[in-house]
């Protein structure tokens, strides 16, 4: 599997002034699609046994999940309604009795998230133009291109390439940017907030790549 | 009279003594926003501590609903959020205090039940009433049933253990569909627990 070195994404200057620790880190890799591997299933089972009800409740007091909760509050999201990625995964594990294997890529992202608390997302590298970054949505901007692309409210925080918005921060991805069977290269990215050490972000990306190559 | 306009612009007191709002320069609100964000982070931390302290009892409602998706909040929105969180924290602490007091009273009652069970016939205390995790209840019951009741032999019994978990057919299906080597889930009375009908037919 060919993997690029982790690269720092850009952050809109005004946004960076408000949130000086906000970062986006990205890496590209070959798309290894397909079903869940036995190794990933075993890994997820191990993680399931580590995270029970009490641990899920106490998650919010752990430093990294707490940092994402606080950031959710700071950007106007209620983490008890629009859950942080790690809490959403923990809730899913409690509801279903275990972390569910859903496919090679999904498993890799879930493993990285549960192991580190740092979310990693994947996009189709071929559908992106230039480096990814974070910025507020512009006037009359839409999420993706095409007639069916939904409108974005001005100021909504988005992940964007050098051309247009490709995903809402912690939210939905623009049509045509998701990873599909036709995807050849992946763009994995992670968003770090105040309170999340850089090493955890690198670790999350490394783990997701390891799990992909497993 | 000092007037503070909606955009939080400053007002100046004129030397003559009269108060006249002036078209003041909008102050840099970044420091204020930063300070509010710090306060929100502290409140979130304290709320988290309350939620964890409430476990395994009834969950506390600490949500402060916001709509509109991720965005940079203005000073007013941050202030409202800080105030809402502060109220939530106050409510959560009050609830925890009430709960703690009740649990303390129940612990005292349990001691009294143990010391003199005849005075507390059939009184039942769930583990949750005492803030103890797990299933079970203390109950004052007669020793040897009816005989004990007639003879006045009373004792405190702790029922223990949570109901055994019976795997649902849906869980079995999630793990790759019905398999012949897995037992068909059935209740003790033979009634089925749902799931695909064909897997339940013997």
């Amino acid at each position: 599997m060919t993997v690029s070195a982790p690269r720092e994404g850009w952050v809109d200057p005004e946004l960076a002034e408000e949130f000086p620790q906000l970062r986006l880190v990205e890496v590209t890799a070959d798309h290894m699609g397909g079903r869940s591997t036995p190794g990933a299933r075993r890994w997820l089972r191990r993680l399931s046994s580590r995270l029970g009800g009490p641990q899920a409740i106490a998650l919010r007091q752990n430093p990294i999940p707490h940092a994402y909760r606080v950031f959710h509050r700071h950007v106007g999201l209620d983490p008890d309604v629009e859950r942080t990625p790690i809490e959403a995964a923990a809730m899913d594990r409690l509801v279903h009795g275990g972390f569910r294997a859903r496919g090679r890529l999904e498993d890799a992202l879930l493993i990285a998230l549960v192991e580190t608390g740092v979310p990693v997302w994947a996009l189709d590298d071929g559908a992106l133009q230039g480096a990814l970054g974070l910025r507020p949505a512009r006037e009359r901007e839409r999420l993706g291109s095409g007639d069916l692309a939904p409108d974005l409210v001005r100021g909504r925080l988005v992940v964007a390439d050098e051309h247009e918005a490709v995903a809402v921060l912690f939210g939905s991805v623009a049509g045509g940017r998701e990873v599909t069977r036709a995807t050849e290269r992946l763009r994995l990215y992670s968003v770090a907030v105040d309170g999340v050490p850089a090493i955890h972000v690198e670790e999350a990306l490394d783990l997701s790549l390891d799990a992909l190559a497993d | 009279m000092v007037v503070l306009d909606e955009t939080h612009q400053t007002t100046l007191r004129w030397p003559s003594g009269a108060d006249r709002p002036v078209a003041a320069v909008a102050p840099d609100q970044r420091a204020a926003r930063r300070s509010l964000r710090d306060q929100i982070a502290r409140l979130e931390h304290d709320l988290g501590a309350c939620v964890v302290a409430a476990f395994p009892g009834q969950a506390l409602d600490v949500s402060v609903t916001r709509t509109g998706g991720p965005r940079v909040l203005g000073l007013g929105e941050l202030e409202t959020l800080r105030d809402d969180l502060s109220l939530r924290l106050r409510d959560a602490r009050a609830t925890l205090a009430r709960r703690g007091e009740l649990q303390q009273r129940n612990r005292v009652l349990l001691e009294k039940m143990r010391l003199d069970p005849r005075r507390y016939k059939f009184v039942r205390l769930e583990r949750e009433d005492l803030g103890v995790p797990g299933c079970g209840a203390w109950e004052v019951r007669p020793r040897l049933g009816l005989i004990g009741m007639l003879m006045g032999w009373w004792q405190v019994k702790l029922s223990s253990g949570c109901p055994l978990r019976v795997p649902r057919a849906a869980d079995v299906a999630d793990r790759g569909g019905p398999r012949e080597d897995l037992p068909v889930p059935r209740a003790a009375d033979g009634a089925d627990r749902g799931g695909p009908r064909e897997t339940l037919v013997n």
Side-chain angles (χ1 to χ4, degrees):
Chain A
M1 187 168 74
T2 325
V3 178
S4 74
R7 198 172 47 210
E8 196 83 21
W10 49 268
V11 178
D12 175 76
E14 282 185 22
L15 192 58
E17 253 178 36
E18 294 289 333
F19 302 104
Q21 308 298 324
L22 188 62
R23 294 170 62 220
L24 183 146
V25 183
E26 60 179 3
V27 66
T28 55
D30 288 337
H31 181 211
M32 312 274 285
R35 291 174 167 228
S36 302
T37 60
R41 284 179 190 277
R42 275 197 302 276
W43 200 336
L44 287 175
R45 271 201 297 275
R46 266 203 314 276
L47 291 177
S48 297
S49 65
R50 261 174 31 193
L51 199 139
Q55 290 80 16
I57 295 288
L59 255 185
R60 64 183 68 209
Q61 286 200 305
N62 295 351
I64 292 178
H66 175 71
Y68 283 101
R69 271 188 82 86
V70 168
F71 184 74
H72 262 55
R73 294 273 191 217
H74 286 169
V75 295
L77 299 173
D78 183 352
D80 292 311
V81 177
E82 287 156 287
R83 295 188 187 281
T84 59
I86 181 65
E87 287 188 22
M91 188 56 71
D92 192 62
R93 178 256 174 272
L94 293 184
V95 169
H96 293 99
F99 291 116
R100 291 179 297 171
R102 296 166 190 263
R104 196 181 193 122
L105 175 62
E106 291 81 358
D107 294 351
L109 301 183
L110 181 59
I111 285 168
L113 171 65
V114 180
E115 288 279 14
T116 63
V118 177
V120 179
W121 293 273
L123 296 170
D124 182 351
D125 186 54
L128 302 173
Q129 296 180 23
L132 289 178
L134 297 165
R135 64 170 169 78
R138 300 174 185 130
E139 190 75 50
R140 283 196 287 275
E141 188 170 11
R142 307 175 90 178
L143 183 58
S145 46
D147 294 339
L148 296 176
D151 292 328
L152 286 168
V153 178
R154 184 169 178 267
R156 176 71 39 87
L157 297 182
V158 293
V159 177
D161 63 9
E162 283 165 12
H163 182 58
E164 62 186 5
V166 296
V168 174
L169 183 60
F170 300 117
S172 45
V173 176
R177 266 48 173 215
E178 313 99 329
V179 176
T180 63
R181 285 184 183 192
T183 301
E184 291 177 0
R185 295 275 295 167
L186 295 173
R187 182 86 62 95
L188 302 178
Y189 72 94
S190 183
V191 173
V193 299
D194 188 16
V196 178
I199 193 164
H200 280 73
V201 182
E202 320 294 326
E203 178 73 6
L205 288 168
D206 277 354
L207 271 174
S208 57
L209 291 170
D210 283 352
L212 266 179
D214 185 20
Chain B
M1 182 179 70
V2 176
V3 178
L4 195 66
D5 76 7
E6 287 179 357
T7 56
H8 302 274
Q9 289 182 334
T10 55
T11 58
L12 298 178
R13 188 175 292 276
W14 286 67
S16 62
D19 288 326
R20 271 174 61 184
V22 294
V25 178
D28 187 3
Q29 298 178 341
R30 242 170 302 166
R33 283 200 295 269
R34 207 165 28 244
S35 163
L36 281 167
R37 287 196 193 104
D38 289 345
Q39 292 174 37
I40 288 167
R42 276 199 298 277
L43 287 165
E44 174 59 39
H45 176 269
D46 292 351
L47 271 173
C50 286
V51 170
V52 173
F55 187 80
Q58 197 179 357
L60 294 175
D61 178 16
V62 292
S63 69
V64 178
T65 306
R66 288 281 173 277
T67 53
R71 63 201 182 281
V72 178
L73 299 184
L75 196 60
E77 285 177 300
L78 284 169
E79 276 174 348
T80 311
L81 176 59
R82 188 265 321 263
D83 294 346
D84 289 351
L85 283 171
S86 177
L87 278 177
R88 281 289 186 205
L89 181 62
R90 200 185 62 191
D91 291 349
R93 281 178 172 160
T95 306
L96 282 178
R98 272 198 309 275
R99 229 181 253 182
E101 201 177 309
L102 190 65
Q103 286 168 359
Q104 179 59 31
R105 284 212 302 268
N106 284 335
R107 275 193 284 272
V108 171
L109 176 61
L110 179 61
E111 281 309 307
K112 286 179 178 173
M113 283 161 57
R114 281 179 171 147
L115 288 171
D116 189 3
R118 292 170 70 171
R119 280 189 59 201
Y120 300 94
K121 293 170 187 171
F122 296 110
V123 172
R124 183 182 170 90
L125 280 175
E126 301 285 342
R127 291 173 74 105
E128 194 186 339
D129 298 334
L130 280 83
V132 179
C135 308
W138 287 270
E139 189 175 9
V140 179
R141 300 200 53 86
R143 202 183 293 266
L144 300 175
L146 194 59
I147 298 171
M149 208 187 301
L150 293 171
M151 299 297 289
W153 298 337
W154 293 87
Q155 63 179 350
V156 179
K157 288 201 79 172
L158 169 64
S159 72
S160 61
C162 295
L164 293 175
R165 183 177 177 274
V166 179
R168 292 180 303 128
D171 292 342
V172 178
D174 275 356
R175 292 182 200 128
R179 278 165 38 191
E180 288 179 3
D181 57 327
L182 286 175
V184 175
R186 277 186 176 280
D189 58 0
D192 70 64
R193 298 257 182 212
R197 175 61 56 188
E198 59 273 18
T199 63
L200 297 169
V201 175
N202 287 322

